[in-house]
Amino acid sequence: MSTAAVNPLALAAAPQVKPIAHWHDRLAHGLLLGVCAFLVVFLLAPLFMILIKSVEDKGGAFVGVRLFQEYFQTPALRLSILHTLSVAFAVTGITIPLAFTFAYALTRSCMPLKGTFRVVALTPILAPSLLAAISFIQWFGTQGLLKWMLAGASIYGPIGIIISSIYAVFPHALMIILTALLLADGRLYEAAESLGTPTLRRFFTITLPGAKYGLISAAMVVFSYTVSDFGIPKIIGGNFSVLALDIFKQVIGQQNFNKGAVVSLILLIPVLVAFVVDWIMQGRQQAQFSSRAVPYAPKRRTGFDALMFCYCLIVCLLLLAILGMAIYTSFIKLWPYDKSFSLRHYTFGLVDGGVISSFFNSLRMALLTAFFGTILIFGGAYLIEKTRGVNGMRAAIRMLAAIPMGVPGMVLGLGYIFFFNHPDNPLNGLYHGMTILVVVTIIHYYTSSHLTAVTALKSLDNEFEAVSASLKVPFYKTFFRVTVPVCLPAILDIARYLFVNAMVTISAVVFLYAPDTQLASLAILNLDDAGEIGPAAAMATLIVAASTTMCILYALITRFLLTRTQAWRRPVTI
């Protein structure tokens, strides 16, 4: 019997047979469904409950937009909107030029100590925003060392909120702008220099246009952070009302949850606008990325380098002075009367006062958030990017994963009250427990971690999964044997990010804690309300110490693990 020749074109034109779904494919689909259900239950449902409560009265009767009308008819509440926006614009307008100049010095000069300056500039991330407010009270408050510099003005109000917020958001803006400047194409500067283009003209025609998307993105992040921040106005705001404080007063002070829902939706509007603008800018920035770009290498200019060094030195000294004042306050007996060193704020104020348990609660919550959050977020990103089928569900998870970035923490926390505190909810048992604090923190910081995971996974060739599928190797074997070792730096980075943010978070958990689950950041609020500024500074110092220790451990563990799992990255010497 003769064998006919096979025509490759005929095979290509023939209809393709859909591969049979193996049991591990169905497992992947089930896990995807679980991730989607998790985001729906712990993100969409609470936000939907806020919308429902905003159109109901205390008795649950539908009232439409009446509560919104009452809100806007109240002059004091309307003033909160103006205060919130004015402070946010002021903080954004000051922080962006400061961060841009600092990033410009790091990327465009040959000054010494660049690494040291960069580390110091990022230290505010390790501290709760309350630390800055406490420190500025010690510097410029009623009994502050430098109160004369305010020329009679009070630190309690917009001035204190603005300068404390600048300290808190500076590293966030710096990281974004620094990334934008590092992506500059050195060929453009070489061409401009060869054509004799003046330095100032190169700045306005090459540097600023190249970094404009990063600048806009940083501005939107700073604006959103300032609008939604609760801790700083609570500590140093005095009688200056903002939207975040209005939510707290309506919910905690007046027990008016429906009016709190109204304020939450109003607070959500400027944050969502900023999020949409940031999302559009990020998309355009990716579209302009060139694979042929070469890194820019600055040339030594003595005068310019000295100027940039002085600027960075001044900024870092100011940042260290703010951090140092809070630490100093925690180690003296009684400000400003007895400045002798003592551990009384740690022993009598925290240990004997029973407040130290809040610090251990934060440690426990941060560790649980880092562990389970990393598994959920990276595992979910892997299922989206590297498995087959159910494309509609993948698109839904991608959309849900982007939502938390545009939702302020207080809005999310209030939604959790409405949803999980309902007696008919089968998940009601989570309310006031450690689990709900862990879950809300994971959701609150989901987007940034998800984007980190997706970026790492996209750098892997899809051929790994294609070969595994052709050999009928279950996806989880490929995940543990290939993906995890290769993406280990990103996984560790996600875990560190979740831990540090869990230690300093305030707004997302302020409504959800119980007496036995109070966190360290919330203990600072309570201590400050009681006039215990020394113990409050001590608790803030412990948070900084814990976050710093974790970052050091992260660096050591990363170095150790990467030498064992990332040997393929090192060049081979022959």
Side-chain angles (χ1 to χ4, degrees), residues 516-530:
D516 59 338
T517 58
Q518 179 177 257
L519 303 177
S521 57
L522 301 174
I524 297 175
L525 283 177
N526 297 331
L527 289 168
D528 179 77
D529 285 341

Side-chain angles (χ1 to χ4, degrees), residues 315-344:
V315 171
C316 288
L317 288 177
L318 291 174
L319 294 176
L320 291 176
I322 297 170
L323 177 62
M325 175 56 79
I327 297 174
Y328 174 70
T329 302
S330 71
F331 283 106
I332 61 174
K333 286 186 177 181
L334 182 62
W335 178 275
Y337 307 106
D338 187 353
K339 296 180 181 179
S340 59
F341 283 88
S342 171
L343 294 176
R344 68 183 301 269

Side-chain angles (χ1 to χ4, degrees), residues 18-26 29 388:
K18 186 177 180 180
I20 301 175
H22 299 287
W23 65 268
H24 41 80
D25 290 329
R26 292 193 293 270
H29 299 165
R388 304 176 298 175

Side-chain angles (χ1 to χ4, degrees), residues 110-389:
C110 294
M111 65 177 183
L113 301 179
K114 285 187 179 181
T116 302
F117 287 149
R118 183 172 181 175
V119 170
V120 173
L122 297 180
T123 53
I125 293 179
L126 305 177
S129 59
L130 307 175
L131 181 142
I134 292 173
S135 182
F136 280 117
I137 289 174
Q138 300 299 83
W139 280 114
F140 303 105
T142 306
Q143 297 174 328
L145 294 177
L146 303 177
K147 63 179 180 179
W148 55 270
M149 293 184 64
L150 296 181
S154 175
I155 194 67
Y156 300 98
I159 296 177
I161 296 175
I162 289 172
I163 60 177
S164 299
S165 298
I166 291 172
Y167 174 84
V169 301
F170 180 82
H172 300 278
L174 176 64
M175 288 188 294
I176 297 173
I177 298 173
L178 192 61
T179 301
L181 291 177
L182 287 173
L183 292 175
D185 191 347
R187 297 175 302 170
L188 298 177
Y189 291 90
E190 293 175 0
E193 186 177 1
S194 64
L195 294 173
T197 307
T199 303
L200 190 62
R201 183 176 177 83
R202 291 203 300 265
F203 177 80
F204 284 104
T205 58
I206 300 177
T207 304
L208 279 184
K212 64 180 179 181
Y213 295 121
L215 287 170
I216 295 174
S217 181
M220 295 303 102
V221 169
V222 170
F223 181 86
S224 300
Y225 186 98
T226 307
V227 165
S228 59
D229 184 65
F230 162 74
I232 289 175
K234 182 70 171 59
I235 294 289
I236 204 172
N239 296 322
F240 191 81
S241 60
V242 294
L243 287 172
L245 278 180
D246 282 351
I247 298 175
F248 184 80
K249 292 175 182 177
Q250 293 292 337
V251 174
I252 302 299
Q254 303 180 22
Q255 295 292 301
N256 192 337
F257 293 93
N258 301 84
K259 187 64 71 67
V262 170
V263 184
S264 296
L265 292 177
I266 295 173
L267 177 64
L268 192 60
I269 293 174
V271 177
L272 282 178
V273 171
F275 168 72
V276 171
V277 173
D278 183 30
W279 179 70
I280 294 173
M281 291 302 104
Q282 286 183 357
R284 293 183 178 180
Q285 183 181 12
Q286 291 174 358
Q288 290 191 353
F289 180 76
S290 172
S291 60
R292 298 181 180 179
V294 296
Y296 173 78
K299 296 181 179 179
R300 188 172 298 279
R301 291 174 289 172
T302 305
F304 176 75
D305 294 343
L307 181 64
M308 290 294 97
F309 177 82
C310 292
Y311 173 80
C312 291
L313 180 63
I314 293 172
V315 171
C316 288
L317 288 177
L318 291 174
L319 294 176
L320 291 176
I322 297 170
L323 177 62
M325 175 56 79
I327 297 174
Y328 174 70
T329 302
S330 71
F331 283 106
I332 61 174
K333 286 186 177 181
L334 182 62
W335 178 275
Y337 307 106
D338 187 353
K339 296 180 181 179
S340 59
F341 283 88
S342 171
L343 294 176
R344 68 183 301 269
H345 296 313
Y346 292 90
T347 55
F348 177 75
L350 298 184
V351 178
D352 296 341
V355 188
I356 193 65
S357 60
S358 300
F359 174 70
F360 294 110
N361 284 339
S362 283
L363 279 179
R364 179 186 170 199
M365 194 268 281
L367 290 171
L368 291 173
T369 300
F371 180 76
F372 290 105
T374 303
I375 293 175
L376 172 70
I377 296 171
F378 188 81
Y382 175 82
L383 292 170
I384 294 172
E385 299 295 330
K386 299 297 184 180
T387 58
R388 304 176 298 175

Side-chain angles (χ1 to χ4, degrees), residues 382 464-465 468 473-483:
Y382 175 82
F464 289 113
E465 284 70 31
S468 298
V473 175
F475 71 92
Y476 56 83
K477 289 188 177 181
T478 307
F479 176 78
F480 286 110
R481 294 178 180 178
V482 178
T483 308

